[in-house]
Amino acid sequence: MIQVNRSICPHDHICPLIKACPVGAISQDAEGFPVIDHKLCIECGKCVRNCPMKAMEQTEA
């Protein structure tokens, strides 16, 4: 499962991972944090590899 580490994510900009996600599983909440729709997420890891702040973490389900 991929999760956002909120203590690392600056959430002060439009998240570049929204466009990077091949299935459109990432959006942003009202505070600016990325939100992963786990029903859509295929766990390809593209967001984990492309997050400039390394705030996306892939963990065991």
Side-chain angles (χ1 to χ4, degrees), residues 12-46:
D12 62 353
H13 60 280
I14 295 174
C15 180
L17 303 178
I18 294 170
K19 288 185 179 179
C21 180
V23 295
I26 300 175
S27 59
Q28 277 182 282
D29 67 14
E31 295 177 50
F33 286 106
V35 177
I36 301 168
D37 183 336
H38 293 287
K39 292 178 183 176
L40 294 176
C41 180
I42 58 173
E43 296 191 36
C44 66
K46 192 169 185 181

